[in-house]
Amino acid sequence: MTSANVQIAKAELAKVKKQVRKLLVFTQLSKLIESAQREFDLEVIDIQENGQEKWKKKYVYWIPALHLDGREIAKGRWDASTVLEALKQWEAKPESEQSTE
């Protein structure tokens, strides 16, 4: 295998890994949403899109990031336990104190 082929293979592998990470994040989010006791709005932001420069600057090296009621609860690598704990605390608050923005 030539050096050029190795570089191409590495680039393709990186693309596959990125897609797998996205799939894992969405799978985790789906499970978390199903476990929530109260309804909430989920907004997914693609930091690569135009108009999302604020989020890209903040999270370019820390995706995925998750905010709840405007507060960052997870960024970078996280698992369901981190988010479940935040959801438990959120669900324990009276609905009048919760934001659905």
Side-chain angles (χ1 to χ4, degrees):
M1 190 175 250
T2 68
S3 177
N5 288 342
V6 169
Q7 294 303 318
I8 291 170
K10 285 182 179 181
E12 291 302 313
L13 180 59
K15 289 179 189 177
V16 170
K17 285 181 178 180
K18 184 176 181 180
Q19 292 301 320
V20 168
R21 281 194 300 271
K22 283 183 183 179
L23 180 60
L24 290 173
V25 168
F26 284 113
T27 301
Q28 282 183 329
L29 283 174
S30 295
K31 289 179 183 176
L32 292 170
I33 290 168
E34 290 171 7
S35 70
Q37 300 299 310
R38 292 185 181 170
E39 285 191 26
F40 60 91
D41 296 325
L42 176 66
E43 180 181 2
V44 177
I45 298 172
D46 181 348
I47 66 171
Q48 302 299 329
E49 289 182 357
N50 289 333
Q52 302 302 337
E53 291 79 12
K54 167 188 155 186
W55 296 111
K56 183 174 183 175
K57 183 177 178 181
K58 185 170 185 171
Y59 291 112
V60 68
Y61 300 110
W62 294 102
I63 53 175
L66 189 61
H67 284 234
L68 185 61
D69 276 345
R71 184 174 64 91
E72 178 185 286
I73 61 170
K75 68 179 183 178
R77 292 185 181 197
W78 45 270
D79 61 13
S81 63
T82 303
V83 181
L84 286 173
E85 183 57 36
L87 281 175
K88 273 196 250 182
Q89 291 174 12
W90 179 75
E91 289 174 339
K93 291 192 315 187
E95 286 192 56
S96 61
E97 293 179 23
Q98 296 175 0
S99 168
T100 57
E101 297 178 9

